[in-house]
């Protein structure tokens, strides 16, 4: 293949961003697969993320069939696999990152405009057929949703692979609570490859140039060239904050064909966005695929590549390969011992048996009928929890779809954070944990709500998916009972006969009970919620949340969870 390093693409404000272009050596016009993001286009996967690369290639050696792997980068298409298929792969370093100068401002309106201009630039090149597709994982997926809403004229199709759509609800503030993932991620994965590190950064072994550019900027200059997202996010509790302007995808404005690929294990980062993107995109042609395994795996496997190839071949090359006749939804249904693929035609599934399970604070059970008498259970508002269990299931029971909890609570404090977790327990009493996207031992499903954010959007909300406005604080009066609706992110799991569903409601992030030592990520123990934690001392202060939370059940306080049970065929 022909490799063009550091091709300059002019932006509308006079700055240039730089791209590496991998294209067939044969003359001709080819469709383009583009990615745009801050992880440094010249940083090979095995150099930047060696542990993940080793795991990926050991578990799935197929990804190196026909590829040396040396041009494979974190969460972007491997050109050695795609260029022989008749595609051009373009990787663009976003403004301020890698080889592109400027100020880093992740997911901003400025980035979206840059991405738009890169798409249009690529369409005008002599080697391009004018059809641009977008491919990539995580950042390289979330940015697709945003730029597609700007409708670049030559954007022909997008395949966002595990990427959020609502920066506020999906990534930054779950139920109004600040998730500290992004503030931990920023220095480790973005500013660590910031433009201007020069010789202090990595070197691209494929062309021996510094991945963060030749410039040697001072620490002060580097700091001036990046947004302080910790300060911005801590100070932006409501969705109306200026910080969120332009960072949330305008899904109804999207017109191009969409293949949205999500991960059941993406609780707290990408799962919700892939489903919402599929549902709300204005595109007439759109598909949803849901899989499991690690966050970065399926994109590179033969399964993932073949899926993307059929989609892009149809819309970027015009091939009549039957893709337009594919069922709109493809689910990898999770069982305790693996996944079984199944086609579906709507979401939520039309045959769902919506099942209410009522919380009993006296017996700590989930009951099938409302309770006539009232009961309550109190726990520490910052670190306590209480769990409620069903009886063992009499037969295999599939739970697939969104969940919701209606809870009645009071507190001695002025506010309360609620962490709601759906869990599976085997007949021997041991919890069945699943492999999540970035968590080796994850629960079945998770939801979050800050009680002062309980105001619902009545037009957007559904019985199975409450949507909160997050535009005003409604602090609590100590001792008064409030009804709150908690969105629990979608899930897919078949509970075997004899297993129990357990609902845990608490005041802090879920942690499993497995013995240590625990793996670490970003310097934190990974214990069930990975690093998708809500542990910022300013956002969760003792003065605001340090009280006793009481969960009220039974009688006029019919606390319950709504579960999407799928009837057996």
């Amino acid at each position: 293949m022909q490799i063009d390093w550091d091709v300059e693409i002019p932006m509308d404000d006079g700055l240039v961003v730089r791209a590496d272009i991998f294209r067939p050596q044969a003359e001709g016009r080819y469709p383009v697969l583009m990615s745009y993001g801050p992880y440094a286009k010249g940083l090979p996967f095995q150099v930047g993320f060696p542990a993940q690369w080793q795991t990926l290639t050991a578990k799935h050696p197929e990804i190196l069939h026909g590829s040396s792997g040396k041009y494979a980068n974190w969460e972007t298409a491997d050109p050695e696999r795609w260029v022989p298929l008749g595609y051009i792969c373009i990787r663009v370093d976003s403004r301020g990152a890698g080889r592109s100068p400027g100020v880093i401002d992740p997911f901003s309106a400025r980035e979206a405009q840059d991405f738009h201009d890169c798409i249009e630039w690529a369409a005008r090149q002599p080697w391009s057929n004018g059809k641009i597709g977008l491919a990539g994982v995580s950042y390289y997926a979330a940015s697709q949703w945003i730029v597609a809403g700007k409708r670049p004229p030559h954007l022909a199709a997008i395949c966002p692979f595990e990427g959020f759509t609502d920066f506020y609800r999906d990534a930054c503030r779950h139920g109004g609570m600040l998730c500290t993932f992004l503030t931990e991620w920023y220095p480790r994965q973005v500013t660590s490859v910031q433009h201007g590190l020069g010789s202090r950064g990595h070197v691209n072994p494929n062309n021996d140039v510094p991945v963060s550019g030749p410039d040697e900027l001072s620490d002060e200059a580097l700091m001036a060239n990046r947004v302080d997202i910790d300060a911005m996010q801590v100070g932006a509790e409501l969705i109306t904050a200026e910080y969120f302007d332009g960072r949330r995808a305008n899904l109804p404005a999207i017109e191009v064909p969409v293949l949205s690929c999500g991960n059941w294990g993406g609780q707290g980062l990408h799962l919700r966005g892939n489903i919402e993107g599929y549902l709300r995109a204005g595109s007439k042609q759109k598909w949803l695929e849901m899989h499991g395994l690690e966050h970065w795996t399926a994109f590179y496997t033969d399964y993932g590549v073949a899926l993307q190839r059929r989609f892009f071949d149809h819309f970027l090359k015009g091939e009549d390969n039957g893709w337009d006749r594919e069922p709109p939804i493809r689910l990898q249904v999770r069982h305790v011992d693996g996944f079984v693929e199944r086609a579906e035609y709507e979401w939520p599934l039309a045959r769902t048996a919506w099942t209410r399970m009522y919380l009993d604070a006296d017996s700590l059970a989930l009951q099938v009928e409302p309770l006539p008498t009232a009961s309550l259970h109190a726990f520490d508002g910052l670190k306590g929890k209480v769990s409620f269990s069903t009886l063992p299931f009499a037969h295999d029971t599939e739970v697939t779809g969104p969940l919701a909890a209606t809870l009645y609570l009071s507190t001695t404090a002025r506010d309360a954070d609620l962490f709601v977790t759906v869990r599976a327990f085997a007949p021997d009493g041991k919890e069945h944990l699943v492999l999540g996207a970035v968590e080796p031992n994850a629960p079945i499903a998770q939801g979050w709500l800050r009680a002062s954010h309980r105001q619902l959007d009545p037009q957007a909300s559904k019985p199975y998916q409450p949507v909160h406005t997050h535009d005003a604080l409604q602090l609590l009066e100590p001792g008064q009972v409030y009804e709150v609706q908690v969105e629990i992110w979608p899930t897919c799991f078949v509970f075997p006969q004899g297993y129990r569903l357990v609902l845990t409601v608490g005041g802090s992030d879920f942690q499993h009970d497995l013995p240590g030592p625990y793996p670490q990520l970003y310097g934190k123990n990974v214990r069930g919620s990975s690093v998708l934690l809500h542990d910022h001392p300013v956002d969760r202060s003792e003065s605001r949340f340090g009280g006793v939370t009481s969960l009220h059940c039974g009688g006029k306080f019919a606390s319950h969870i709504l579960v999407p049970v799928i009837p057996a065929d």
Side-chain angles (χ1 to χ4, degrees):
M1 60 188 173
Q2 169 70 34
I3 306 175
D4 303 314
W5 305 106
D6 276 348
V7 176
E8 294 189 347
I9 303 176
M11 299 293 98
D12 62 1
D13 63 351
L15 184 134
V16 299
V17 296
R18 295 187 173 92
D20 292 341
I21 301 173
F22 304 82
R23 52 194 176 92
Q25 285 187 330
E27 293 292 327
R29 292 179 176 270
Y30 300 92
V32 171
L33 295 182
M34 179 178 282
S35 59
Y36 174 99
Y39 294 156
K41 62 183 175 57
L43 183 65
F45 196 144
Q46 59 268 39
V47 175
F49 302 88
Q52 291 89 337
W53 176 256
Q54 184 176 5
T55 300
L56 179 62
T57 53
K59 287 185 177 181
H60 307 278
E62 69 205 57
I63 71 164
L64 291 177
H65 292 168
S67 173
S68 68
K70 67 181 184 177
Y71 300 110
N73 278 35
W74 178 248
E75 299 181 337
T76 63
D78 180 356
E80 286 188 282
R81 298 193 75 180
W82 282 96
V83 171
L85 301 178
Y87 286 90
I88 295 170
C89 292
I90 300 181
R91 294 181 186 142
V92 185
D93 276 340
S94 58
R95 181 180 296 241
R99 304 280 293 181
S100 296
V103 176
I104 299 177
D105 191 2
F107 306 110
S108 63
R110 177 66 263 178
E111 279 200 350
Q113 183 61 46
D114 290 348
F115 200 175
H116 172 284
D117 293 350
C118 289
I119 291 167
E120 292 306 297
W121 175 89
R124 296 192 298 269
Q125 303 311 303
W127 31 254
S128 168
N129 74 350
K131 296 193 175 196
I132 313 300
L134 306 181
V137 187
S138 192
Y139 199 109
Y140 299 103
S143 58
Q144 291 182 46
W145 292 114
I146 296 173
V147 76
K150 294 179 71 65
R151 297 180 178 174
H154 289 89
L155 181 60
I158 64 171
C159 181
F161 220 100
E162 301 188 36
F164 55 76
T165 58
D166 189 324
F167 185 66
Y168 183 96
R169 293 180 174 91
D170 299 350
C172 187
R173 285 193 170 268
H174 300 137
M177 294 179 237
L178 178 63
C179 177
T180 54
F181 164 72
L182 288 170
T183 58
E184 299 285 354
W185 154 87
Y186 195 47
R188 291 170 172 86
Q189 292 187 221
V190 178
T191 66
S192 59
V193 290
Q194 183 177 356
H195 182 79
L197 285 173
S199 61
R200 291 169 289 171
H202 293 279
V203 171
N204 183 345
N206 297 309
N207 62 6
D208 296 322
V209 303
V211 303
S212 296
D215 297 339
E216 301 273 354
L217 300 183
S218 67
D219 290 344
E220 292 77 12
L222 289 170
M223 188 174 297
N225 278 349
R226 60 179 184 254
V227 169
D228 184 348
I229 66 169
D230 183 72
M232 296 294 290
Q233 293 183 5
V234 170
E237 181 170 346
L238 298 178
I239 205 167
T240 51
E242 183 180 355
Y243 176 66
F244 296 108
D245 291 349
R247 298 180 207 271
R248 300 170 57 229
N250 182 3
L251 296 174
I254 297 175
E255 297 178 320
V256 297
V258 174
L259 171 58
S260 177
C261 298
N263 190 324
W264 296 122
Q267 299 281 338
L269 191 56
H270 295 313
L271 164 61
R272 183 185 188 277
N274 277 103
I275 293 176
E276 288 299 297
Y278 165 75
L279 291 174
R280 296 181 56 220
S283 309
K284 294 180 180 178
Q285 296 175 292
K286 54 185 179 179
W287 290 263
L288 173 67
E289 183 273 346
M290 296 296 298
H291 54 265
L293 304 180
E294 302 90 347
H295 176 41
W296 52 85
T297 298
F299 179 78
Y300 294 97
T301 62
D302 286 350
Y303 166 82
V305 170
L307 190 71
Q308 295 171 81
R309 182 184 179 186
R310 285 191 62 216
F311 173 73
F312 284 127
D313 280 355
H314 183 73
F315 289 109
L316 302 189
K317 294 183 177 180
E319 292 186 5
D320 184 9
N321 58 11
W323 178 266
D324 55 331
R325 298 182 292 278
E326 276 286 309
I329 299 175
R330 178 192 301 225
L331 305 182
Q332 300 294 334
V333 178
R334 190 194 294 274
H335 294 254
V336 293
D337 55 355
F339 296 87
V340 176
E341 186 171 307
R342 190 173 73 209
E344 296 289 351
Y345 292 85
E346 70 286 310
W347 184 270
L349 309 189
R351 64 186 182 280
T352 301
W354 295 104
T355 304
R356 283 184 173 86
M357 299 179 178
Y358 294 89
L359 282 60
D360 184 342
D362 284 338
S363 64
L364 299 184
L366 289 171
Q367 308 283 15
V368 295
E369 297 292 341
L371 306 168
T373 57
S375 59
L376 67 82
H377 189 99
F379 55 87
D380 184 285
L382 279 172
K383 54 189 177 184
K385 63 182 179 181
V386 58
S387 296
F388 304 84
S389 175
T390 65
L391 292 172
F393 288 115
H395 48 77
D396 290 1
T397 301
E398 179 182 339
V399 175
T400 296
L403 304 92
T406 298
L407 303 175
Y408 293 85
L409 67 93
S410 62
T411 177
T412 61
R414 295 287 287 160
D415 210 345
D417 282 344
L418 295 174
F419 297 77
V420 180
T421 308
V422 177
R423 308 162 71 183
F425 281 78
D428 62 3
K430 293 182 179 178
E431 183 170 11
H432 180 84
L433 296 159
V434 300
L435 175 62
V438 289
E439 166 58 65
N441 296 290
I444 302 302
Q446 293 176 281
W448 307 264
L449 180 66
R450 174 159 288 173
S452 59
H453 287 241
R454 64 190 177 277
Q455 178 65 44
L456 291 174
D457 180 337
Q459 291 185 319
S461 294
K462 300 176 178 64
Y464 52 80
Q465 186 183 23
V467 178
H468 301 87
T469 60
H470 299 295
D471 58 3
L473 295 182
Q474 297 178 329
L475 294 175
L476 312 185
E477 290 295 330
Q480 184 172 330
V481 179
Y482 296 88
E483 176 185 323
V484 298
Q485 310 285 332
V486 184
E487 177 186 11
I488 303 172
W489 284 21
T491 193
C492 177
F493 182 69
V494 178
F495 289 80
Q497 179 183 1
Y499 273 57
R500 294 178 294 119
L501 183 154
V502 171
L503 179 73
T504 297
V505 181
S508 61
D509 288 296
F510 168 79
Q511 289 188 340
H512 58 60
D513 297 323
L514 298 178
Y518 307 107
Q520 286 207 332
L521 186 61
Y522 297 169
K524 297 182 178 182
N525 287 338
V526 173
R527 291 194 58 185
S529 297
S530 188
V531 289
L532 301 167
L533 303 175
H534 308 81
D535 54 359
H536 199 289
V538 174
D539 188 68
R540 282 175 43 79
S541 65
E542 178 76 28
S543 61
R544 182 170 166 184
F545 300 95
V548 174
T549 299
S550 294
L551 201 55
H552 297 257
C553 308
K556 64 179 181 179
F557 303 124
S559 292
H560 65 272
I561 181 175
L562 186 63
V563 180
V565 176
I566 307 303
D569 294 333

